[in-house]
Amino acid sequence: FYYEKCVTLGFPRSGIFYKDNTTLRGRLIKLLPFEVNKIFVYVPTHRDYENKSRKLYDKNSKKRSIWGYEPKENIEKLEQLLDDEKAVIIAKIHPVQAREILDEQKSNRIFTYHEIASRLTISLNELLAISDAMITDYTSAVFDYLQCDKPIIYYHFDIEKYNNTRGFFINPMTPLCAGDTCYNVVELTDSLKDIIEGKDTYREKRKFILDLLVTHQDANAEERIKKYFFD
């Protein structure tokens, strides 16, 4: 497809990022059994090497937590930070991710998207819109989130294996990372602490990448689509 055959009209799903979502955030917080000051959303993509239906499946894949192969004490320190700062993490597991590879580790401050969505009808983009920061790995959802102008943390616990199997659209991907890059939960905990303390050193880079990749930074995609096809 040549560029001149494409029309850039925007994604209707991104309109939520330009609206007042105070009420929706309040409804979510009311569902939780404790006071919440910060909401972090973790949106990891799937791993082909963990999926038996994929050609790149590695039969030596072992069970892990959503944070990879981290010692229990490191995850406990993360959970302690969340508890001390009245924060929560909501993890949206990719629908193609092999669930049998993930340990179901219960946590008072880390929830799954399924747990939330079973009690409150909320889309992923709505969840992103009401969050205070995003934790991601290699998912394209991060480019939607740039429109929120909020901090991003890149969690790359398996970057070498991921790159050697599925690989990246742009490689190296570092130039498109507009936030701290962490390789373990200790580094992730430190980055979350910085965000909680109000540090945000990547705002200019986020804006640069947003302008590079997103033509229409508004909530008017539906109107442009209707106008293009029907007017």
Side-chain angles (χ1 to χ4, degrees), residues 41-59:
V41 179
Y42 178 35
V43 190
T45 191
H46 63 96
R47 272 74 178 156
D48 280 356
Y49 66 83
E50 293 179 336
N51 192 324
K52 292 180 181 179
S53 67
R54 300 297 175 108
K55 289 192 297 184
L56 298 172
Y57 173 64
D58 181 357
K59 64 181 180 181

Side-chain angles (χ1 to χ4, degrees), residues 4 9 13 61 69 83 100 104 111 128 147 150 174 176 196-197 201 204 225:
E4 61 269 17
L9 301 173
R13 71 186 186 204
S61 295
Y69 304 97
D83 196 45
E100 64 273 12
E104 290 191 18
F111 300 87
L128 293 175
Q147 296 171 84
K150 295 175 184 175
T174 307
L176 288 182
I196 290 169
E197 292 175 353
T201 58
E204 290 186 9
I225 291 169

Side-chain angles (χ1 to χ4, degrees), residues 16 19-29 129-130:
I16 190 71
K19 298 176 181 178
D20 182 356
N21 299 292
T22 306
T23 301
L24 183 59
R25 181 182 170 100
R27 290 173 61 197
L28 172 58
I29 290 175
I130 64 175

Side-chain angles (χ1 to χ4, degrees), residues 53-222:
S53 67
R54 300 297 175 108
K55 289 192 297 184
L56 298 172
Y57 173 64
D58 181 357
K59 64 181 180 181
N60 295 316
S61 295
K62 298 177 182 178
K63 270 192 172 291
R64 62 173 177 85
S65 75
I66 59 173
W67 308 113
Y69 304 97
E70 285 289 307
K72 185 178 179 181
E73 56 268 26
N74 288 354
I75 297 177
E76 287 175 349
K77 288 178 181 177
L78 168 61
E79 293 176 343
Q80 187 62 56
L81 173 70
L82 299 174
D83 196 45
D84 291 343
E85 300 296 338
K86 297 181 174 63
V88 296
I89 294 175
I90 300 173
K92 172 65 170 69
I93 306 304
H94 196 285
V96 183
Q97 170 63 37
R99 299 302 178 101
E100 64 273 12
I101 209 78
L102 298 178
D103 279 328
E104 290 191 18
Q105 297 176 330
K106 294 297 182 181
S107 167
N108 290 332
R109 292 275 174 174
I110 301 175
F111 300 87
T112 65
Y113 171 79
H114 175 74
E115 290 177 273
I116 300 299
S118 65
R119 301 173 62 193
L120 175 68
T121 302
I122 187 170
S123 69
L124 173 59
N125 274 23
E126 286 175 321
L127 185 58
L128 293 175
I130 64 175
S131 69
D132 295 290
M134 179 189 198
I135 307 167
T136 184
D137 50 11
Y138 325 113
T139 178
S140 60
V142 72
F143 300 122
D144 288 340
Y145 195 71
L146 286 169
Q147 296 171 84
C148 294
D149 190 25
K150 295 175 184 175
I152 299 167
I153 297 174
Y154 298 82
Y155 187 62
H156 292 171
F157 74 88
D158 65 341
I159 188 167
E160 290 187 9
K161 187 157 189 176
Y162 189 93
N163 192 28
N164 290 333
T165 51
R166 188 174 182 83
F168 300 116
F169 196 127
I170 296 175
N171 199 353
M173 64 177 292
T174 307
L176 288 182
C177 292
D180 286 349
T181 300
C182 305
Y183 300 95
N184 56 62
V185 167
V186 174
E187 295 175 352
L188 174 64
T189 303
D190 289 340
S191 291
L192 284 172
K193 187 175 181 181
D194 286 344
I195 291 173
I196 290 169
E197 292 175 353
K199 298 177 183 177
D200 185 5
T201 58
Y202 289 90
R203 177 166 286 153
E204 290 186 9
K205 187 172 183 180
R206 289 199 307 268
K207 178 62 176 169
F208 173 79
I209 297 174
L210 175 66
D211 290 342
L212 184 69
L213 299 178
V214 181
T215 302
H216 301 290
Q217 298 172 26
D218 57 39
N220 302 322
E222 294 97 330

